[in-house]
Amino acid sequence: MQEDLDHETYMARAFQWAAKGYSDGGCPIGGILVKNDTGRVLGQGHNGLVQEGNPIVHGEMAAMRDAGRMPNRHDTTMYTTLQPCFMCAGTIVQFGIPRVVIGDVVNASSDETIRFMRGKGLEVVVMDPRTSEAAHACVELVAKFRSEKPEQWMEDWGGGPNPALTPG
Amino acid sequence: MQEDLDHETYMARAFQWAAKGYSDGGCPIGGILVKNDTGRVLGQGHNGLVQEGNPIVHGEMAAMRDAGRMPNRHDTTMYTTLQPCFMCAGTIVQFGIPRVVIGDVVNASSDETIRFMRGKGLEVVVMDPRTSEAAHACVELVAKFRSEKPEQWMEDWGGGPNPALTPG
C-alpha cells in the first residue's frame, strides 16, 4: 500500500525542528507530515507552548496546522520526534493518518497511546536509538530538556494525571 | 468534588460561538472551558477550519488555545456544542479535564469517543435536546449545516474513515 519513505531522513528533519524549538527556549519536539506516494513534506513544525503561549501546539499539531486544509490525509505518514500524547494520538486517529513514525519512546511514561493507535488499525513504527542517529538525537535532547526544565515538561503534558480521575 | 455549574447557561453561551462560526461561513461548533469552583470562563471560541484554514481548531481546541498556559486543568469543565471527535476527546483526556458537557450527540456517528473518555474516568454529561433549549439549538444548527455543506462537514471530521485502516 505505501511507498517506502526513508524514515531516517525524515526523522533527522523532524529533529531539526525539535532543535529549533529548544534553542528558542521551547519544548524540543518536532513533527512532519509526509505524503506517502511522493515523499513530499505537507506540513512541519515544532511545539509552540512557550513560543506561542499555546498548549495545543505540540509538534504533530504544528505539522497538521502547517499542512492546512485537505479532503483527507489517508496516504500520509506522521513523523514525530517524541511519542504522541493523547491529544496528538487522537488527532492522528481522527484524521485517518495510517502511519506514525516515532523517534523517542524512552521519554514517554507508558505505551498507552501506542496501544491506542494500534488498536485503531494504525501502523506505528518506533525507531531504535541504538541504530538510528536521528532517533538517538531525539532521545538525548528531550532527556536534557527534562532535566533542565522539569516544570515546563510537565506543563506541556497537561500537568500530569488528574487525581480526581480513576480510569476504568 | 465539583461545584454545580449551570449547564444550560454555559451551553447557551457555547451555542453563541457556534452560531458566530456559522454566520462566518464556518463549521458551527463552539467550546468553553470553565473553572469549576468559581464558574469563571477560562477560554472560549469556535471551530476555525474555514476562518483560519486550520483543521486542528475545533471548538474545544479554540477554547483550549484561548485559555492558554496553566499548570493544569484539573478543576475545569469543557462545554462543547457537539460530541468531541478523537482529537478533542484525546485533548480533554491528556489535559486532565475531569468533566465534559455535550450539547449534541445526535449528529455524531457513534458514541466511541464518549466511551473512550468514560473509560479514562471522565464524567461525560450529555444534555437532552428535548428538555434543554440550548442543546436543541446545537442539534438543529449542525443538522442545518450538514445539509447545506456536507463536504465541509466531512472535511472537518478528517475526511471520513480511512479505508486502509482496519481497527483491531
Side-chain angles (χ1 to χ4, degrees):
Chain A
M1 173 199 105
Q2 291 163 340
E3 293 291 320
D4 258 321
L5 299 175
D6 178 6
H7 296 335
E8 186 69 20
T9 300
Y10 289 102
M11 192 55 72
R13 186 159 173 171
F15 174 75
Q16 290 308 318
W17 282 101
K20 183 182 179 312
Y22 178 79
S23 70
D24 295 343
C27 303
I29 307 147
I32 303 193
L33 186 68
V34 179
K35 189 84 165 60
N36 288 333
D37 58 357
T38 60
R40 192 161 72 83
V41 171
L42 300 174
Q44 53 194 329
H46 60 62
N47 186 298
L49 176 71
V50 170
Q51 296 92 326
E52 303 180 39
N54 188 345
I56 68 168
V57 180
H58 283 189
E60 303 91 319
M61 306 301 273
M64 284 288 297
R65 176 177 64 180
D66 187 44
R69 296 179 64 173
M70 52 190 74
N72 69 65
R73 294 149 192 87
H74 292 174
D75 186 39
T76 64
T77 297
M78 177 67 82
Y79 288 87
T80 174
T81 59
L82 180 64
Q83 183 179 316
C85 75
F86 266 117
M87 171 173 69
C88 297
T91 300
I92 291 163
V93 165
Q94 182 64 41
F95 288 91
I97 295 169
R99 182 166 63 174
V100 55
V101 181
I102 304 173
D104 172 14
V105 299
V106 178
N107 286 292
S109 57
S110 86
D111 67 348
E112 228 188 339
T113 60
I114 292 179
R115 286 187 283 112
F116 169 68
M117 292 187 288
R118 287 190 173 144
K120 298 293 178 192
L122 274 68
E123 182 186 350
V124 180
V125 178
V126 176
M127 294 180 75
D128 186 340
R130 293 167 303 184
T131 55
S132 158
E133 217 172 288
H136 180 75
C138 295
V139 173
E140 291 291 296
L141 184 58
V142 166
K144 186 178 173 200
F145 165 70
R146 287 180 67 170
S147 72
E148 289 170 352
K149 298 185 177 172
E151 281 168 20
Q152 189 174 314
W153 164 259
M154 186 56 79
E155 181 192 346
D156 191 50
W157 282 91
N162 186 333
L165 299 180
T166 50
Chain B
M1 174 198 105
Q2 292 163 341
E3 292 292 317
D4 258 321
L5 298 177
D6 178 6
H7 296 336
E8 185 70 19
T9 300
Y10 289 102
M11 191 56 71
R13 186 159 173 172
F15 174 76
Q16 290 307 319
W17 283 101
K20 183 181 180 313
Y22 178 80
S23 69
D24 295 343
C27 303
I29 306 145
I32 302 192
L33 186 68
V34 179
K35 189 84 165 60
N36 289 334
D37 58 358
T38 60
R40 193 161 72 86
V41 171
L42 300 173
Q44 53 193 330
H46 61 62
N47 186 296
L49 176 70
V50 170
Q51 296 91 326
E52 303 181 40
N54 188 346
I56 68 168
V57 181
H58 282 189
E60 303 90 319
M61 307 301 273
M64 284 289 297
R65 175 178 64 182
D66 187 44
R69 296 179 64 174
M70 51 190 76
N72 69 64
R73 294 150 192 85
H74 291 174
D75 186 39
T76 63
T77 296
M78 177 68 81
Y79 287 86
T80 174
T81 59
L82 180 64
Q83 183 180 314
C85 75
F86 266 119
M87 170 173 70
C88 297
T91 301
I92 291 164
V93 164
Q94 183 65 43
F95 287 92
I97 296 170
R99 181 166 64 173
V100 54
V101 181
I102 305 173
D104 172 12
V105 299
V106 178
N107 286 292
S109 57
S110 85
D111 66 348
E112 230 188 336
T113 59
I114 291 179
R115 285 187 283 112
F116 168 69
M117 293 187 288
R118 286 190 174 143
K120 299 292 178 193
L122 275 67
E123 182 186 352
V124 179
V125 178
V126 175
M127 295 179 73
D128 186 339
R130 293 166 303 184
T131 55
S132 158
E133 217 173 288
H136 180 74
C138 295
V139 173
E140 291 290 297
L141 183 58
V142 166
K144 186 178 174 201
F145 165 71
R146 288 179 67 170
S147 71
E148 289 169 351
K149 298 186 177 172
E151 282 167 19
Q152 189 174 313
W153 164 259
M154 186 55 80
E155 181 192 346
D156 191 51
W157 281 91
N162 186 335
L165 299 180
T166 51

